[in-house]
Amino acid sequence: MLFRLLRLVLILTLAVSAPLSADALAQVAGQAPVAQATSPAAAAQGDQAPAASPAPANPAPAAPTASPSPAAPALAQSPTGLIADQQKMIKDLTSKTDALEKQIQQDGEEDASLVDIRLKLEELSRESLNTALAFRPRLAEINARVQQLGPVPAAGQPAEPDIVVAERQALTSEKAEINAVIAAAQTLSIRISGLIDKIGNMRSELFRNLLTKRYVLTDALSSQVFSDANDEFGSLYKAVSSWLTFAFKFKFQAMLAATFMALGLALVLLVGSRRLFGRLFEADPTVEDPSYLSRLTVAFWSTLLPTLAVAAFLVLAVFFFNYYNVLRGDIGIFLNGLATVIGVVFCVNRLTNAALSPRLPNWRLIPVETGPARWLVRLATAMAVVISVNTFLSVINDKMGSPLSLTIARSFGATIIVGILLILMAMLKPFRARDGSWRPWPAWLRYLALALGLFTIVAALLGYIGLALFVSLQVVVTGTALITAYIGFLSARAIGEEGAFADTSVGRWLSTNSSYEDTALDQLGLVVSVAINLMIVLVFLPLILLMWGFQPGDIQAWAYKLATGVSIGSVTISATGILSGIVVFIIGYFLTRWFQGWLDGSVMARGKVDTGVRNSIRLAVGYAGVALAALFGISAAGIDLSSLALVAGALSLGIGFGLQNVVSNFVSGLILLAERPFKVGDWIVAGDTSGTVKKISVRATEIETFQRQSVILPNSNLINNAVGNWTHRNKLGRVEIKVGVAYGSDVKRVHAILLEIARGHPLVLKNPEPFVLFSNFGAAALEFEIRVFLADIMNGSSVQNDIRFAVLEAFDSEHIEIPSTPRAVVEVKKHAAWPIDDDKIEVDFVEQQQAKAEADAEKRRLAKSRRKKPDPG
């Protein structure tokens, strides 16, 4: 009864001190948890150990114990340390969430404000999750200590010591308080998620209202609009003139400094790009027939680089004006709008001039006539001016609180003008047929432009000003961005084609001033193509998203999610993690290659290590280094290797069935590298293949025959079948030369001549000494065999060649006949066990020519020796 009473008092104390979750109360009471948390904040609870074993139904009365140590109630009653800090943090997060919720109600009509609030809420959500995760180390310590203490003694067992009981109660109390904090973080995270969803719904509703709201045009088209416009122009004139008076009087030097600094930096960008890209920047009028790639490249870069320079000037000017406190609030907003107008108009004008090239027909991307090309440039620039001026005036209207009728009238006029310009562009006939008649645009393009123009005009006349203005803006700005990006993609694709990069100015410069071959330049062209495509995506995709109503905060949130990780089921894909893994693997790979080169070229080369041993060590180090680099790269990418266990099991099953040969060759390669029955540079014979070992890898071995043919043999064939190695331990070897003489010849004299020739060759070893064998009474001749040993068996073919020449000369001098007509009886030729490849003679022909001088000297020496009596053999 006393034990139950103490437990009840502890539960009531905890319930008063902190609001415990149901799971926490169940754990303290010794029961199973009621439910599992499902929010992200509950992730920390996933590491908790199971609750202590439940008490028996009829526990034995506990022995009287002394009061617990004062540390236990202190831990149970007042949260200290980490718990107190996290509770304070959750309170701060809750108060910030309350303030943001009120701000949602206040700024619910402004899309940009809602995006900013959503970003702040997402940051609060991450902080609440970190609050829950901060307890994971402490929970792990508590669970480990509870496991060390063991289960609560069952009925009939000796009671625990007082200090163990006090420690167990303190740990249970602390764990309950941690669960309470985690539950609060979970509740806050759920609340924040709900607010984020609410903001998403509000923004969708705002966008729908913008496109579907209908305005009454009677007030907007009345005479009062002109009066309102006159009043607003007067107010704008007063605001700008007062600012100019103040700026020229007190901030003139700061204005000059800001303007010249911005202009200088923009000129540096423009001049630097001209010097860097050279001919890619402007069209060369002296070129009569430029290639399509050249035209694409000039159109793309001549649009992008000057536009970036102008944009840099405008942005830097506004930045420096703000830095030197030249601008006040309203003028700063007006200047930002004016900078946008200038940038858009300049970009559209540059793009149309680059694509249509009215002055240089040879550089024209679209094969239109010169007159229509000029009109297209004018119409497109006029559309950009109308849309940009309308946007600038909307900024002025919003800042100065203009009447709604003036805003509607301005937007109505802009959309009508854009629609008319679209119709004029569609009705233009830019092509000339062979008979001299003018032809219109292709049907799909003409009807699309007509449909957009008519849709814009009709929507404006019906009062859907927002929809008409949105379509007009997308036609001009989004169309410009898409056309520029499309030209860039075409340029990248053209550069990536085979041999195209070598024909560019950069490719020609690299070919002249470097050692790059055509293959390397072609690969570099592929890299440049990929880089251009990536740059286009990174530059133009955010611009297009901004034009379609998204805010910079949206792009920032997406970029953050993409960088930190996108969860698909239980797998988290992180762009930052993937890039980190790739970088780590590349660094490890190059470090491995550098270590291989240093070990082979510096350490083993100086130690006079055998070539085959060096190759084996280099391969082993390479495989180990690449494997370690792959493991480090996978870990850096954030991929849990334990999650690959299922894949490894499936792979093992596949190996057992379909990859037996691959595994067999792999294991055989490891055996070859370890056992080294042959090494790189050895002359081996494997079945019908005879040649020099060039490379031993884990799957196959490369053998180069004497015809310079590379034969790739699977390693399992070399392990399971017989392989002859002429240079296994050393290059010492014996070669045989068969000689036949006619019946009736002096065989002893023949024997002596052959032995003298064998002994006289400079490459024949004296020990073991040469030997001449009278081998057989053949069907057509008396058969002899010369057997000589060489220090390097690779010289066998050249030695055989020299000896045969010497035999012919000696027999001719001694009038010894070599029969040339065989008898009718044909002897079956048996295949030699390990034949010397006769084709090697052809390979050694060049060496024979180089050794011609030595052969001539040998002939003279042999001629002198024939005049002497031969030594007895």
Side-chain angles (χ1 to χ4, degrees):
M1 294 295 297
L2 181 61
F3 182 75
R4 291 183 176 179
L5 181 62
L6 289 175
R7 181 187 299 177
L8 181 61
V9 171
L10 179 61
I11 294 174
L12 293 176
T13 303
L14 294 175
V16 172
S17 63
L20 299 181
S21 63
D23 291 353
L25 292 176
Q27 289 180 355
V28 176
Q31 300 174 358
V34 177
Q36 295 292 333
T38 58
S39 72
Q45 288 180 314
D47 295 336
Q48 299 178 12
S53 302
N58 297 313
T65 58
S67 60
S69 63
L75 284 171
Q77 294 174 2
S78 59
T80 58
L82 179 62
I83 297 178
D85 293 340
Q86 300 305 318
Q87 284 180 338
K88 181 180 178 182
M89 185 176 294
I90 290 178
K91 291 181 181 178
D92 294 340
L93 296 176
T94 303
S95 61
K96 292 179 181 179
T97 304
D98 295 338
L100 291 176
E101 188 173 9
K102 294 179 181 178
Q103 191 176 354
I104 292 174
Q105 303 300 328
Q106 297 174 358
D107 302 335
E109 298 298 325
E110 298 182 7
D111 187 68
S113 299
L114 291 177
V115 173
D116 184 62
I117 295 172
R118 192 193 70 178
L119 291 176
K120 294 179 181 179
L121 288 173
E122 290 179 349
E123 181 63 26
L124 294 181
S125 178
R126 289 190 291 269
E127 292 180 4
S128 65
L129 178 61
N130 293 333
T131 300
L133 295 177
F135 291 106
R136 297 181 70 174
R138 181 55 186 163
L139 284 174
E141 294 176 2
I142 293 175
N143 294 333
R145 182 56 183 162
V146 169
Q147 290 181 357
Q148 291 177 356
L149 295 178
V152 177
Q157 293 182 353
E160 292 180 323
D162 295 343
I163 188 172
V164 175
V165 174
E167 184 178 3
R168 188 186 298 276
Q169 292 177 355
L171 293 174
T172 305
S173 173
E174 183 179 0
K175 193 171 183 179
E177 292 185 9
I178 291 175
N179 287 339
V181 177
I182 293 175
Q186 171 188 352
T187 303
L188 180 61
S189 178
I190 294 175
R191 179 187 175 191
I192 293 175
S193 299
L195 292 176
I196 293 175
D197 295 338
K198 181 180 179 181
I199 289 176
N201 295 331
M202 294 175 66
R203 292 186 63 203
S204 300
E205 185 65 24
L206 285 176
F207 186 71
R208 285 193 297 269
N209 291 337
L210 175 66
L211 298 183
T212 59
K213 187 175 182 180
R214 186 178 181 183
Y215 297 91
V216 179
L217 299 180
T218 54
D219 297 336
L221 301 179
S222 63
S223 59
Q224 183 64 29
V225 173
F226 297 98
S227 176
D228 295 337
N230 188 29
D231 295 340
E232 182 167 326
F233 178 76
S235 301
L236 176 64
Y237 177 78
K238 290 179 181 179
V240 175
S241 60
S242 63
W243 172 76
L244 287 176
T245 303
F246 166 78
F248 278 102
K249 188 175 182 179
F250 299 102
K251 296 287 185 178
F252 182 71
Q253 294 181 351
M255 288 178 61
L256 286 180
T259 303
F260 280 112
M261 290 176 65
L263 183 60
L265 293 175
L267 287 176
V268 168
L269 176 62
L270 185 63
V271 174
S273 60
R274 282 179 178 272
R275 294 183 61 87
L276 180 62
F277 292 95
R279 296 179 181 177
L280 300 180
F281 199 91
E282 291 182 352
D284 188 359
T286 61
V287 180
E288 297 181 358
D289 188 17
S291 63
Y292 184 66
L293 174 60
S294 300
R295 287 181 286 162
L296 280 172
T297 305
V298 169
F300 177 67
W301 292 109
S302 63
T303 300
L304 183 62
L305 295 178
T307 302
L308 289 178
V310 172
F313 168 72
L314 297 173
V315 172
L316 290 173
V318 174
F319 171 78
F320 287 124
F321 278 8
N322 287 319
Y323 180 79
Y324 290 114
N325 296 321
V326 176
L327 301 176
R328 67 189 189 202
D330 55 346
I331 300 300
I333 295 175
F334 296 159
L335 189 58
N336 287 330
L338 183 61
T340 304
V341 169
I342 296 173
V344 171
V345 173
F346 181 82
C347 179
V348 173
N349 184 263
R350 287 294 302 184
L351 175 62
T352 52
N353 275 285
L356 298 173
S357 187
R359 297 181 180 180
L360 298 174
N362 294 337
W363 289 88
R364 200 168 291 161
L365 283 178
I366 304 174
V368 298
E369 295 298 323
T370 302
R374 292 195 181 98
W375 275 107
L376 286 173
V377 172
R378 294 167 186 166
L379 293 175
T381 306
M383 290 175 60
V385 170
V386 171
I387 290 297
S388 301
V389 170
N390 178 71
T391 304
F392 177 64
L393 293 178
S394 68
V395 173
I396 296 176
N397 295 152
D398 293 340
K399 185 62 182 177
M400 304 188 70
S402 302
L404 180 61
S405 58
L406 183 60
T407 302
I408 296 174
R410 168 185 51 79
S411 301
F412 177 79
T415 53
I416 293 295
I417 294 174
V418 170
I420 294 174
L421 292 175
L422 277 173
I423 294 175
L424 291 177
M425 293 177 67
M427 299 180 64
L428 193 66
K429 295 181 178 180
F431 306 107
R432 187 185 290 272
R434 294 183 179 180
D435 57 358
S437 61
W438 292 94
R439 292 188 297 107
W441 295 103
W444 67 270
L445 183 59
R446 182 171 71 256
Y447 291 143
L448 177 62
L450 284 173
L452 289 174
L454 292 174
F455 179 84
T456 303
I457 294 174
V458 171
L461 292 175
L462 293 178
Y464 295 99
I465 305 297
L467 178 60
L469 189 61
F470 179 79
V471 173
S472 302
L473 184 64
Q474 304 315 315
V475 168
V476 177
V477 182
T478 305
T480 302
L482 288 177
I483 292 173
T484 307
Y486 181 67
I487 294 175
F489 284 129
L490 291 179
S491 300
R493 186 175 65 180
I495 290 175
E497 292 181 356
E498 185 176 359
F501 184 74
D503 294 334
T504 62
S505 57
V506 178
R508 288 191 294 269
W509 183 87
L510 288 175
S511 179
T512 305
N513 299 276
S514 65
S515 59
Y516 285 109
E517 298 179 354
D518 293 340
T519 303
L521 289 176
D522 195 39
Q523 294 175 351
L524 185 59
L526 291 176
V527 175
V528 173
S529 175
V530 173
I532 293 177
N533 286 326
L534 183 61
M535 182 194 69
I536 292 171
V537 172
L538 293 179
V539 172
F540 288 96
L541 182 60
L543 290 177
I544 294 174
L545 291 176
L546 291 175
M547 292 302 103
W548 279 82
F550 295 95
Q551 298 293 332
D554 295 320
I555 301 175
Q556 179 183 349
W558 295 337
Y560 180 83
K561 289 181 180 180
L562 184 63
T564 56
V566 178
S567 297
I568 302 176
S570 60
V571 179
T572 300
I573 301 175
S574 171
T576 305
I578 293 175
L579 291 177
S580 301
I582 293 174
V583 170
V584 169
F585 175 76
I586 291 174
I587 293 175
Y589 177 81
F590 282 106
L591 284 177
T592 300
R593 294 307 180 206
W594 170 83
F595 182 74
Q596 276 184 296
W598 174 79
L599 183 65
D600 183 45
S602 299
V603 178
M604 294 189 292
R606 292 182 181 181
K608 307 299 181 184
V609 181
D610 182 74
T611 305
V613 177
R614 289 168 56 182
N615 179 71
S616 299
I617 294 176
R618 184 173 62 252
L619 287 176
V621 170
Y623 290 133
V626 172
L628 289 176
L631 290 177
F632 287 137
I634 292 174
S635 300
I639 300 175
D640 187 7
L641 295 178
S642 61
S643 62
L644 300 178
L646 182 61
V647 178
L651 184 61
S652 300
L653 184 62
I655 289 174
F657 287 98
L659 302 179
Q660 295 182 11
N661 292 333
V662 175
V663 176
S664 175
N665 291 325
F666 178 80
V667 176
S668 300
L670 297 179
I671 294 174
L672 291 176
L673 290 175
E675 188 177 295
R676 298 179 62 247
F678 53 82
K679 56 185 179 298
V680 173
D682 282 356
W683 175 12
I684 68 172
V685 180
D688 297 333
T689 304
S690 175
T692 305
V693 178
K694 289 298 181 182
K695 182 180 179 181
I696 303 174
S697 61
V698 293
R699 192 200 68 84
T701 297
E702 179 183 349
I703 300 174
E704 185 180 280
T705 65
F706 298 115
Q707 295 93 342
R708 295 297 186 264
Q709 179 190 27
S710 294
V711 179
I712 310 300
L713 288 179
N715 289 329
S716 59
N717 292 356
L718 300 176
I719 289 293
N720 299 326
N721 300 322
V723 177
N725 190 346
W726 285 93
T727 57
H728 180 40
R729 292 183 176 85
N730 52 60
K731 295 185 178 181
L732 177 65
R734 191 186 78 177
V735 296
E736 297 85 18
I737 304 100
K738 295 182 178 181
V739 180
V741 298
Y743 278 88
S745 301
D746 187 354
V747 291
K748 291 188 177 295
R749 180 58 181 162
V750 171
H751 182 275
I753 293 174
L754 295 180
L755 187 58
E756 183 180 3
I757 293 174
R759 288 174 177 174
H761 198 283
L763 297 181
V764 174
L765 294 178
K766 306 301 181 183
N767 186 19
E769 64 177 341
F771 179 76
V772 176
L773 175 66
F774 187 1
S775 60
N776 190 25
F777 295 97
L782 301 172
E783 298 177 359
F784 290 82
E785 185 176 287
I786 305 174
R787 299 176 180 178
V788 295
F789 288 88
L790 306 178
D792 188 353
I793 193 64
M794 304 300 291
N795 298 323
S797 297
S798 60
V799 172
Q800 288 176 317
N801 211 35
D802 294 340
I803 291 178
R804 289 191 178 105
F805 277 116
V807 168
L808 284 175
E809 292 181 0
F811 282 4
D812 183 66
S813 175
E814 295 290 336
H815 303 289
I816 298 174
E817 181 183 357
I818 298 177
S820 59
T821 304
R823 296 182 181 177
V825 179
V826 180
E827 182 181 1
V828 179
K829 184 178 179 181
K830 296 182 179 179
H831 184 70
W834 300 113
I836 299 175
D837 196 337
D838 291 334
D839 293 328
K840 188 172 183 296
I841 299 174
E842 298 177 10
V843 179
D844 294 332
F845 181 74
V846 177
E847 299 178 5
Q848 296 174 10
Q849 297 298 324
Q850 296 175 352
K852 188 175 182 179
E854 298 180 3
D856 293 339
E858 180 63 19
K859 291 176 183 178
R860 289 194 297 270
R861 193 185 65 79
L862 290 176
K864 293 179 181 180
S865 63
R866 292 192 191 100
R867 293 195 293 268
K868 300 179 182 179
K869 183 177 180 180
D871 296 332

